[in-house]
Amino acid sequence: MYIGIDVGGTNLKAGLVADSGEILKTKRVPLDFQGPEQFAETLAGLAKEVAADGVKSVGIGLPGAVDGGKIVYTTNIPMEDVDLEGLFRKHLDLPVLLGNDADCAAVGEYFCGAGRGSRDFVIVTLGTGVGAGLILDGKLRGGPASSEAGHMVVCKDGEPCNCGRKGCWERYASATGLIMLTKRAMEQHPESALHELAKDGVEGRTAFQAAEAGDETALAVCREYVDYLANGLSSLVNIIRPEIVAIGGGVAAAPADLLLEPLREAVARESYSRHGGRVTRILPAELGNDAGIIGAAFLSRVQ
């Protein structure tokens, strides 16, 4: 058995995970960050609450960059160069492995979700940004070598990205990017049904909801969004040549005929596999919010 802890922007979730991937017990508490020492103590306390005899290790998935048992930096929590493993083991002396959240999602899906049975697997998560986790020949491409695929440039001199560059993939293919495209379309088309749906604000799902109802402006937004998503994904597929790419995150819940099906067609046109050889399958991620806990728990299996 293993313990996996998923560090989110608002909550900390811990789970006791069986060797089969079944989550046997969970515990969730709000994130109340008061410094690294307190944070490590809280994580250890969570682990103790779900622990059982025979636990082999604790895995922790975080939004940021890690190196061994050290946090290099986190994106939503003010931590930099923190020896989290050392702080954690003051309270619970078990082996600790760290991974960023996209890497943990990749590990979870690889063992128990869309990536089962593959050796080369990629997950792309479409949320506030675009995350990517890579497993190559059964090993996680993680730690300091974690992918930052969301920051490949797909539009030269394009929209400014929070990373300081312009035209990054996540600037267009994230939920944030989809909202940007939707708002622009609404400005240009006051007659669109998007305005009625967005009375309480534009969300990532707004364009897909209006497109389902047949709104032409929304359909155009969805096509534009899929083009941007396919642009970056085709490059990723041509570089990595994975067996499977899983699409996860909030945007992935969009209707398949508006997202996954046109995405598959676009990537098939643009990827090298059209000349023969390995054909990458593009599938929906399967585990939802459980991927982070299962993946963190199983980090030791892909080292």
Side-chain angles (χ1 to χ4, degrees):
M1 289 185 289
Y2 307 83
I3 292 172
I5 302 177
D6 183 14
V7 177
T10 57
N11 291 293
L12 308 174
K13 297 176 290 184
L16 178 66
V17 182
D19 290 3
S20 64
E22 180 185 0
I23 298 177
L24 304 174
K25 186 178 180 181
T26 61
K27 177 70 176 180
R28 176 199 303 249
V29 298
L31 172 63
D32 180 22
F33 184 78
Q34 299 177 24
E37 292 82 3
Q38 172 269 343
F39 180 67
E41 184 177 359
T42 299
L43 295 179
L46 269 177
K48 289 176 183 177
E49 291 216 38
V50 300
D53 291 340
V55 169
K56 300 170 186 175
S57 62
V58 178
I60 304 172
L62 304 119
V66 301
D67 185 1
K70 178 181 177 182
I71 295 174
V72 179
Y73 68 85
T74 50
T75 54
N76 299 321
I77 309 167
M79 284 191 290
E80 188 172 347
D81 296 325
V82 172
D83 179 13
L84 185 61
E85 179 180 15
L87 295 174
F88 183 99
R89 294 187 76 159
K90 290 180 181 179
H91 306 282
L92 180 61
D93 192 19
L94 283 172
V96 176
L97 297 97
L98 306 184
N100 79 21
D101 45 11
D103 288 343
C104 289
V107 175
E109 291 284 345
Y110 177 73
F111 283 109
C112 300
R116 287 189 301 268
S118 65
R119 292 292 292 173
D120 297 315
F121 171 71
V122 174
I123 186 168
V124 174
T125 56
L126 308 174
T128 304
V130 172
L134 281 59
I135 294 181
L136 306 177
D137 196 24
K139 301 295 183 183
L140 177 65
R141 178 76 169 169
S146 289
S147 171
E148 289 293 347
H151 296 287
M152 72 171 93
V153 171
V154 296
C155 293
K156 186 177 184 298
D157 297 324
E159 296 288 336
C161 181
N162 291 333
C163 74
R165 305 177 79 198
K166 291 184 177 181
C168 287
W169 189 26
E170 80 168 27
R171 194 67 183 85
Y172 299 88
S174 63
T176 307
L178 177 54
I179 289 169
M180 174 190 73
L181 297 175
T182 304
K183 288 180 175 179
R184 285 184 181 172
M186 290 170 65
E187 290 173 3
Q188 296 166 5
H189 297 275
E191 79 287 355
S192 170
L194 287 166
H195 293 274
E196 181 65 23
L197 279 171
K199 285 189 297 186
D200 297 324
V202 178
E203 300 178 325
R205 61 185 176 178
T206 302
F208 286 104
Q209 287 176 327
E212 276 193 286
D215 184 77
E216 289 298 328
T217 299
L219 285 164
V221 170
C222 294
R223 286 192 289 267
E224 184 180 13
Y225 174 76
V226 169
D227 283 345
Y228 283 125
L229 181 56
N231 192 346
L233 187 56
S234 297
S235 295
L236 195 59
V237 166
N238 285 335
I239 293 167
I240 305 298
R241 304 299 300 278
E243 296 162 72
I244 297 171
V245 173
I247 305 296
V251 178
D257 62 327
L258 294 173
L259 180 67
L260 277 184
E261 291 173 12
L263 179 63
R264 289 175 181 132
E265 292 173 6
V267 172
R269 287 194 303 269
E270 299 297 329
S271 66
Y272 195 77
S273 62
R274 70 185 185 278
H275 301 299
R278 175 185 283 180
V279 176
T280 298
R281 290 185 289 152
I282 301 173
L283 305 174
E286 297 179 8
L287 299 181
N289 293 330
D290 289 343
I293 290 176
I294 297 170
F298 284 176
L299 281 170
S300 62
R301 294 189 175 188
V302 288
Q303 301 298 307

